[in-house]
């Protein structure tokens, strides 16, 4: 942020490409570690794909909006050429589809993968939007078929994950796209009219009901039918009650009924999966990406921070990779737009950096004659599993302790010279300001004991 | 590797961009976790910089070879434009220099950072060379000055790290560029002659002594002087012996003497840092990058796999970031070209993938009536810290156990139906082929006990 104006090439941030301080990066790593641990608790296996894919792969599905955002590679040196066929990936779904198609024979299905990687989108930078960001995705992909129980397991992963992140109360909202789509089909909506209606329904959270009602009017839908649609989307009540009400609706067609029965089945095992009641709710108001999801859909919100929108979303799809392989690969998955979530949590001070050092203890050197004692103390602490830095620069002890305090060390270790107390050290708890003196040999155990308190 | 030839867009690997199977990726993550833990044990803090830097930053130092390898970003869509000023970073040193200059006021010095990230180079792909690869770097950067003890600590990090990686015996070779440079200066070599000579000396490992001797002849160096230079470079003996011999040499000039005294000081604390004698050796035969390093230099080799070359190298430099800031920032650091090392370890079968799943246990569902028991057993295991997958697809038990075996699970859990033994489960140790039956409630403790054995 603060480039020296006298420097030959003044470095400055690149808009949309976030960069954190070491203390913030430690916090980011801690959160990513917890997300990874939650994914692994449910037996998802890691994959990583190259940052680039062939342009033919990235644009297989089309979509002018996405293509406009793709960063393509070229050589800086005009003579070199060569890389023009590759671009940076803009999500982890296209790479997953390509990976599963390419390594199809080597994979065991159902294939459960997690992927935590950067993606790049040449978006116009604006508040909360990044051009480089980390996504955390999981998917369960079946070969030809995939049990509905996979849909039921996904909320358990979400619940476990956000509980372990410890960033406040959250609600997983769950629905099934067949319910609303079936309802619209039943009242005679054709493909694009239905898709447009779902898109307007998806806006209710941000824009209210007016756009949907105007849209329905433009399709010459009667006032009473429009209100029926709205009351379906906004159906109130507990999850069990909503499921009962949906089950009791008659003359709703096969697709609607299938959606309701899938949603019931997914919801049925919630408690056995260990999901607390207050963390999950049936909500027909969530709709999501129209051309991809075909069944169960998920959104997740922080109860106290609704302005963040959905922080973890996904759903069931019928067809992952038909652009790349003649095989039906149905799946279900979720994605966390991690960088946006992390930056907003930081900004709202829901999470706060604690220390700029990965080490718990700083070993000071009050006098150069104590160099050997300092190094031996540090080596013993590291062997005991205590991350330890040594302050090697010649400086008065006061400056060394200020360094310890600025970087946020919990402990400072001060070797004592022979004429004070032979082979003794002083341990200073920087949080409490207390000091303890004991033999160097006891140091690791003393620190471990204090860390456990 | 095996794209379906009937598929619309046949996916295939991109040369130089490695992609691993899930089992290989798990192994890669495990190694990267250990490297990170070693860095953190010594109090290095993480930073991450964007994948891209401004072209002015990347090319500040010049070097046509490097520039030819830079991947620049452009928009795939010609109308969008905009990204032409940015390129992918080709190492982590230029980004570090830019980061330290840009955030100079926010950092606490000495600044100890580690950085584990992908870098990209548009190299002609060849055996063991990658165009996308992971580097693992650490640096200690001082503000104006940096204690020589930082140089002494670096081999301790290397030794700790490769011990924890457990990939066989290794030797850290250590030297100081001032020794050879001082010697050449003393016998009257000017700047570029000295630099060329060091470059030829660096080739001895791969090409023998002939290129160096021819080069010295071309400079009209007498046969006896050429042999003196060679015998200095190839000085044999234990580290202490070499240091003694160097110390005893007379009429060698100030630079040479300073190099020897630095090398001695660095070597002196080896044992206190816990570096076993056999892991480190003074070796004047290592030279390294000529325009950057100014003092201590390091290389690391696997004793049983010399063909891998140096797997961890670095050294002391006087000036990190003068291209970006009017401040002297001396430092010392090392870098591991991780992807090359990992791929060669895999290929040589020094490391081997064990399992394709992050989970230790697979819960089977022999009959759909046992769904609730299966889910409850899995939830209890996860709560106890055991990564667990449930096999939800309807299939005969035999197929489910084959799946467990193909993916490399250690345990299969088989809930038993009520009419066999109420609320009992069978635990199968897939390694030993043994089976145990006990109440569901005892499952997590039983597995934890067996994992500890």
């Amino acid at each position: 942020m603060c480039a020296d104006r006298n420097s030959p090439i003044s470095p400055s941030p690149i808009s949309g490409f976030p960069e954190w301080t070491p203390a913030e990066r430690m916090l980011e790593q801690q959160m990513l570690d917890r997300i990874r641990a939650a994914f692994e608790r449910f037996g998802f296996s890691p994959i990583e794909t190259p940052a680039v894919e062939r342009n033919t792969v990235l644009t297989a599905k089309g979509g002018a909006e996405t293509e406009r955002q793709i960063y393509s590679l070229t050589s800086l040196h005009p003579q070199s050429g060569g890389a023009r066929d590759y671009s940076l990936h803009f999500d982890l779904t296209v790479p997953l589809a390509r990976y599963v198609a390419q390594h199809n024979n080597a994979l065991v299905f159902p294939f459960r993968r997690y992927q935590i990687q950067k993606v790049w989108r040449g978006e116009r930078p604006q508040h909360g939007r990044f051009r480089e960001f980390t996504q955390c995705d999981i998917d369960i992909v079946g070969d030809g078929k995939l049990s509905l129980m996979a849909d039921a397991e996904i909320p358990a992963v979400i619940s476990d994950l956000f509980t372990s992140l410890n960033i406040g109360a959250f609600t997983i909202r769950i629905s099934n796209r067949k319910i609303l789509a079936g309802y619209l089909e039943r009242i005679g909506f054709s493909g694009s009219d239905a898709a447009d209606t779902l898109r307007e329904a998806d806006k209710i959270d941000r824009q209210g009901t007016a756009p949907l009602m105007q849209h329905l009017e433009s399709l010459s839908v009667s006032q009473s039918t429009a209100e029926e649609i709205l009351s379906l989307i906004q159906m109130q009540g507990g999850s069990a009650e909503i499921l009962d009400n949906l089950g009791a609706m008659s003359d709703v067609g096969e697709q609607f009924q299938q959606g309701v029965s899938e949603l019931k089945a997914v919801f049925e095992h919630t408690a056995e999966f260990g999901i607390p009641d207050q963390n999950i709710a049936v909500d027909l108001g969530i709709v999501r990406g129209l051309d991809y999801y075909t069944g169960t859909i998920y959104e997740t919100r922080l109860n106290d921070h609704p302005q963040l929108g959905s922080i973890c979303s996904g759903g069931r799809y019928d067809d992952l990779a038909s652009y790349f392989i003649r095989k039906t690969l149905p799946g279900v998955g979720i994605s966390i737009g991690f960088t946006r979530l992390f930056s907003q949590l930081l900004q709202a001070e829901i999470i706060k950096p604690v220390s700029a050092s990965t080490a718990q203890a700083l070993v000071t050197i009050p006098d150069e004659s104590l160099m050997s004692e300092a190094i031996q103390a540090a080596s013993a602490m590291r062997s005991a599993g205590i991350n330890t830095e040594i302050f090697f620069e010649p400086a008065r002890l006061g400056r060394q302790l200020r360094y310890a305090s600025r970087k946020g060390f919990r402990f400072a270790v001060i070797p004592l010279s022979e004429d004070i107390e032979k082979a003794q050290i002083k341990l200073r708890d920087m949080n409490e300001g207390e000091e303890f003196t004991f033999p160097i040999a006891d140091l690791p155990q003393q620190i471990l004991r204090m860390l456990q308190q």
Side-chain angles (χ1 to χ4, degrees), chain A:
Chain A
M1 308 287 173
C2 41
D4 182 340
R5 82 192 150 73
N6 292 319
S7 70
I9 296 163
S10 188
S12 59
I14 302 178
S15 176
F17 288 79
E19 181 166 83
W20 311 113
T21 65
E24 290 165 343
R25 172 65 184 155
M26 283 174 59
L27 212 50
E28 184 182 36
Q29 277 193 338
Q30 189 187 84
M31 283 184 71
L32 290 171
D33 286 345
R34 288 185 184 178
I35 291 171
R36 174 180 156 193
F39 290 165
E40 295 187 350
R41 229 169 352 258
F42 286 79
F44 289 86
S45 299
I47 71 165
E48 197 170 65
T49 59
V52 306
E53 297 284 344
R54 293 177 198 282
N55 291 337
T56 48
V57 166
L58 288 177
T59 60
K61 205 180 179 177
E65 180 56 27
T66 314
E67 278 186 37
R68 243 195 308 279
Q69 296 182 348
I70 292 178
Y71 283 122
S72 197
L73 296 197
T74 182
S75 177
L76 192 57
H77 231 256
Q79 292 97 302
S80 304
R84 277 165 225 283
D85 296 339
Y86 316 128
S87 296
L88 296 175
H89 56 213
F90 55 82
D91 71 4
L92 302 178
T93 302
V94 175
L96 170 65
R98 194 266 313 147
Y99 185 97
V100 172
Q102 187 175 320
H103 305 290
N104 185 59
N105 291 334
L107 300 177
V108 188
F109 291 89
F111 177 51
R112 302 163 73 89
R113 86 86 171 77
Y114 75 86
Q115 196 168 354
I116 299 178
Q117 271 188 267
K118 295 272 174 63
V119 305
W120 294 270
R121 291 185 192 177
E123 296 204 70
R124 199 176 298 275
Q126 48 179 310
H127 181 72
R129 291 269 171 190
F130 293 101
R131 299 198 281 184
E132 174 180 71
F133 58 96
T134 300
Q135 269 192 208
C136 309
D137 283 20
I138 53 170
D139 283 86
I140 309 172
V141 179
D143 185 358
K145 57 186 173 35
L146 182 71
S147 163
L148 188 65
M149 289 306 299
D151 300 42
E153 193 186 41
I154 293 288
V157 184
I158 302 176
S159 179
D160 179 304
L161 188 158
F162 283 100
T163 301
S164 81
L165 283 184
N166 194 24
I167 51 174
F170 59 90
T171 306
I172 304 162
R173 303 199 296 169
I174 186 168
S175 183
N176 189 302
R177 279 187 30 78
K178 286 175 185 149
I179 297 173
L180 210 52
Y183 191 86
L184 294 175
E185 184 188 64
R186 196 65 177 173
I187 61 172
F189 277 45
S190 74
S192 84
D193 282 352
D196 292 346
T197 305
L198 292 174
R199 201 171 299 122
E200 298 304 321
D202 197 27
K203 295 181 185 163
I204 290 179
D205 258 0
R206 297 179 301 275
Q207 301 179 21
T209 58
L212 174 65
M213 297 313 266
Q214 278 158 25
H215 167 75
L216 291 174
E217 204 183 320
S218 77
L219 293 176
S220 308
V221 171
S222 75
Q223 179 72 13
S224 70
T225 304
E227 276 166 12
E228 267 175 45
I229 294 172
L230 189 63
S231 74
L232 179 63
I233 294 171
Q234 298 192 315
M235 192 180 281
Q236 299 297 308
S239 298
E241 192 184 342
I242 291 178
L243 287 171
D244 282 348
N245 289 345
L246 291 172
M249 284 169 74
S250 58
D251 194 28
V252 280
E254 203 183 323
Q255 192 185 176
F256 182 101
Q257 278 177 336
Q258 201 191 334
V260 172
S261 107
E262 287 180 10
L263 190 53
K264 270 191 176 152
V266 165
F267 208 78
E268 191 183 348
H269 300 283
T270 305
E272 288 156 4
F273 273 117
I275 308 172
D277 274 353
Q278 70 271 21
N279 287 1
I280 188 161
V282 168
D283 185 341
L284 299 189
I286 67 167
V287 178
R288 301 220 60 78
L290 303 171
D291 47 352
Y292 187 54
Y293 296 119
T294 52
T296 313
I297 42 181
Y298 318 96
E299 288 192 3
T300 312
R301 281 163 198 252
L302 293 180
N303 297 357
D304 300 332
H305 305 277
Q307 78 284 3
L308 267 59
S310 178
I311 56 176
C312 175
S313 316
R316 156 73 73 141
Y317 44 89
D318 284 342
D319 173 22
L320 175 70
S322 63
Y323 292 99
F324 308 120
I325 190 169
R326 289 218 188 283
K327 223 175 182 184
T328 304
L329 300 168
V332 61
I334 47 166
S335 179
I336 301 172
F338 178 79
T339 303
R340 183 162 175 272
L341 172 64
F342 178 71
S343 96
Q344 294 194 327
L345 291 173
L346 263 186
Q347 218 164 10
E349 298 190 348
I350 301 165
I351 54 173
K352 282 176 203 160
V354 177
S355 165
S357 175
T358 52
Q360 285 100 18
L362 181 78
V363 175
T364 63
I365 303 178
D367 181 297
E368 227 174 295
S369 68
L370 293 163
M371 184 68 75
S372 292
E373 285 78 1
I375 297 173
Q376 283 167 33
S379 298
M381 287 157 74
R382 287 169 186 147
S383 293
I386 302 158
N387 296 345
T388 304
E389 177 180 337
I390 308 176
F391 192 91
F392 285 122
E393 303 305 306
R396 275 179 304 143
L397 186 60
R399 215 200 111 206
Q400 299 188 47
L401 292 175
R402 271 201 303 285
Y403 173 89
S405 141
R406 267 190 82 189
K407 269 183 103 169
F409 286 95
R410 168 76 191 277
F411 298 106
V413 173
I414 306 155
L416 298 177
S417 66
E418 296 216 0
D419 33 306
I420 301 180
E421 289 186 78
K422 196 166 157 53
Q424 300 270 98
I425 63 105
K426 203 151 74 179
L427 178 66
R428 185 183 172 89
D429 186 328
M430 303 293 289
N431 290 356
E432 313 291 336
E434 292 172 311
E435 291 188 340
F436 311 87
T437 300
F438 41 77
I440 288 192
D442 296 350
L443 181 59
Q445 290 317 312
Q446 291 283 356
I447 290 183
L448 289 175
R449 198 180 47 74
M450 288 168 75
L451 282 171
Q452 274 159 13
Q453 277 169 359

